[in-house]
Amino acid sequence: MSKDKVYIFDTTLRDGEQVPGCKLNTEEKLDLALKLEGLGVDIIEAGFPISSPGDFESVSQIAKHIKKATVCGLSRAVQKDIETAAQALKHAARPRIHTGIGTSDYHIKSKFNSTREEILQRAVQCVKWARNFTGDVEFYAEDAGRTDNDYLAAVIEAVIKAGATVVNIPDTTGYCLPYQYGEKIAYLVNNVPNIDKAVISCHCHNDLGLATANSITGVIAGARQIECTINGLGERAGNTSLEEVVMIIRQHKHLGFHTDIKTEQLNPISRLVSDTMRMPVQPNKAIVGSNAFSHSSGIHQDGFLKNALTYEIINPEEVGADSSKIVLTARSGRSALAYRFQKLGFRFDRNDIDELYINFLAVADKKKEVEDADLADMAQQYRKKTVTA
Ligand code: KIV
Ligand code: ZN
């Protein structure tokens, strides 16, 4: 295992699919799984096999067809869940069972009416059950974000001893601040004696809009796997967005990490997931939103047209997006107007543009966006006026 590689664990088909309205059938899930493998994700969490016969079938089909990526099935710390996940994964080239239990006092007391000691025993037991079926067992400490660090460290040490090869530290409720999540990971690195025997994984939710920041901080503190979804889909406010963490790692090379994601596929797969799950992407979404490479204010447009790097840190081609757009609104300036006329084949000098700009603003104040057809009209009327004058 290379020290600086960050493993990308995609859970679009499990945590992402839990979103109301995003349910997929087996054919859709298999198609997306093949695309995710092509994108270069390391692990595909294919579903929760015990949850329904349909999901069992989806995980089985994905397990049969995916050859390069690890295929993972979720389970609770329940023997039947684990056996069912193992059954669904039996044809996988690289099967992983993801099992675990809530470790925060909220979960221990309210959900399980139990004690810390009993939950620790159940955690160990579920890892042992899973190890009967595969050597690749990931343990999740649900609500680790709000779990006491000393207790969390004891659970993690015990599950690694029981055979867990990956330990997932979910901020299930999206509660942590980045420095707190980073300190939690660092605490485990420094206080769990056998931590070098497992990969630490970040699974962050976005309830406070901090999922991406928390995952990156977790990696800086010692984690080497990020659990994420395309377009940040997932329970409630969603999960860490795959495209964001991948591009942060790529943009900030000085951090010394890399992933194996083929970034030019990010926009196409974002659109595919959005269409298949019938879940639109917000226009201002980083990397994959329709406005991610649009420039509309005059100051930005002027700078961008002189040198794209003044206002763009990513080349749209690098993430498979359409080329950058100069959008014309009432906030746009003369350089943008001249540029758009030129793209339509109209060449005007500075004086012409000064005059046309007055007409342009009159139209722009009435419309949200000035389109090519408006510009063609403006250009023709201006030509007529100047020929007859
Ligand atoms: O958010 C969470 O804690 C989860 C676990 C099941 C990994 O999704
Ligand atoms: Zn989750």
Side-chain angles (χ1 to χ4, degrees):
M1 180 181 60
S2 110
K3 204 67 185 124
D4 55 1
K5 166 155 172 173
V6 175
Y7 288 80
I8 297 296
F9 175 115
D10 181 278
T11 184
T12 308
L13 304 180
R14 199 279 295 170
D15 218 319
E17 204 231 14
Q18 288 171 205
V19 174
C22 285
K23 160 102 186 48
L24 301 171
N25 62 36
T26 296
E27 203 185 315
E28 291 168 326
K29 271 195 149 186
L30 179 58
D31 183 46
L32 287 180
L34 291 165
K35 297 287 189 320
L36 288 166
E37 183 173 49
L39 175 70
V41 310
D42 301 287
I43 303 105
I44 297 172
E45 187 164 48
F48 184 11
I50 193 115
S51 65
S52 75
D55 216 34
F56 180 93
E57 177 60 14
S58 299
V59 177
S60 310
Q61 287 303 324
I62 292 170
K64 277 185 193 145
H65 288 86
I66 294 294
K67 295 287 168 249
K68 211 165 141 234
T70 295
V71 179
C72 176
L74 183 75
S75 67
R76 294 165 298 182
V78 172
Q79 194 166 3
K80 183 91 185 113
D81 277 36
I82 293 168
E83 286 166 0
T84 308
Q87 183 68 17
L89 292 167
K90 75 171 181 229
H91 295 295
R94 297 162 199 269
R96 174 180 296 181
I97 296 178
H98 191 189
T99 187
I101 194 158
T103 52
S104 70
D105 288 334
Y106 292 102
H107 283 237
I108 296 175
K109 297 202 172 91
S110 313
K111 210 165 104 177
F112 301 117
N113 188 23
S114 185
T115 62
R116 286 186 176 185
E117 190 44 42
E118 199 176 281
I119 292 298
L120 190 142
Q121 295 312 327
R122 284 180 66 181
V124 166
Q125 184 59 67
C126 71
V127 170
K128 287 187 177 160
W129 281 326
R131 278 298 299 243
N132 290 329
F133 300 101
T134 169
D136 188 352
V137 173
E138 174 168 340
F139 172 80
Y140 64 85
E142 197 179 4
D143 205 14
R146 294 185 300 170
T147 299
D148 165 64
N149 281 350
D150 279 338
Y151 176 62
L152 184 62
V155 172
I156 296 303
E157 182 180 349
V159 296
I160 294 174
K161 201 160 156 232
T165 45
V166 181
V167 286
N168 179 10
I169 312 300
D171 184 22
T172 304
T173 56
Y175 175 74
C176 289
L177 291 168
Y179 84 89
Q180 293 170 324
Y181 190 73
E183 280 178 5
K184 191 171 282 290
I185 302 295
Y187 190 88
L188 298 176
V189 170
N190 296 322
N191 292 282
V192 174
N194 53 0
I195 198 72
D196 57 318
K197 304 218 163 35
V199 173
I200 302 178
S201 183
C202 306
H203 178 111
C204 297
H205 278 269
N206 206 30
D207 300 65
L208 292 172
L210 291 170
T212 294
N214 283 345
S215 298
I216 294 293
T217 312
V219 166
I220 293 170
R224 286 295 177 273
Q225 176 177 286
I226 296 180
E227 309 199 358
C228 46
T229 58
I230 302 290
N231 301 335
L233 289 169
E235 280 278 347
R236 305 181 310 281
N239 284 70
T240 301
S241 146
L242 181 150
E243 55 278 6
E244 292 174 12
V245 287
V246 164
M247 289 313 291
I248 290 168
I249 288 170
R250 192 173 158 106
Q251 285 287 308
H252 290 278
K253 293 207 169 57
H254 64 277
L255 293 174
F257 304 122
H258 75 271
T259 72
D260 287 342
I261 297 297
K262 299 184 183 75
T263 59
E264 67 287 353
Q265 294 184 23
L266 288 173
N267 267 272
I269 200 159
S270 158
R271 280 194 294 270
L272 179 70
V273 166
S274 168
D275 290 349
T276 315
M277 290 192 159
R278 295 161 283 277
M279 186 56 69
V281 176
Q282 71 191 63
N284 56 324
K285 170 80 182 62
I287 324 290
V288 295
S290 56
N291 286 345
F293 299 97
S294 292
H295 304 272
S296 94
S297 94
I299 296 171
H300 288 215
Q301 291 171 331
D302 185 50
F304 173 81
L305 290 169
K306 286 174 177 146
N307 177 353
L309 292 177
T310 51
Y311 284 99
E312 263 182 11
I313 59 164
I314 298 168
N315 177 344
E317 271 175 33
E318 210 180 317
V319 292
D322 295 338
S323 51
S324 311
K325 278 189 283 207
I326 294 288
V327 179
L328 292 179
T329 71
R331 305 291 155 262
S332 301
R334 289 172 177 74
S335 1
L337 183 62
Y339 168 82
R340 285 282 299 272
F341 273 133
Q342 198 180 320
K343 282 200 89 180
L344 288 174
F346 299 106
R347 290 198 166 271
F348 294 113
D349 66 20
R350 184 79 214 183
N351 291 337
D352 294 330
I353 290 292
D354 280 346
E355 277 202 43
L356 277 158
Y357 190 64
I358 297 166
N359 304 347
F360 162 75
L361 284 182
V363 177
D365 264 338
K366 289 197 201 98
K367 296 191 71 176
K368 286 206 186 297
E369 191 181 326
V370 177
E371 319 272 354
D372 283 350
D374 302 312
L375 293 177
D377 270 0
M378 256 179 250
Q380 269 147 17
Q381 278 172 25
Y382 183 74
R383 289 255 196 264
K384 256 195 235 154
K385 197 176 98 189
T386 45
V387 169
T388 47

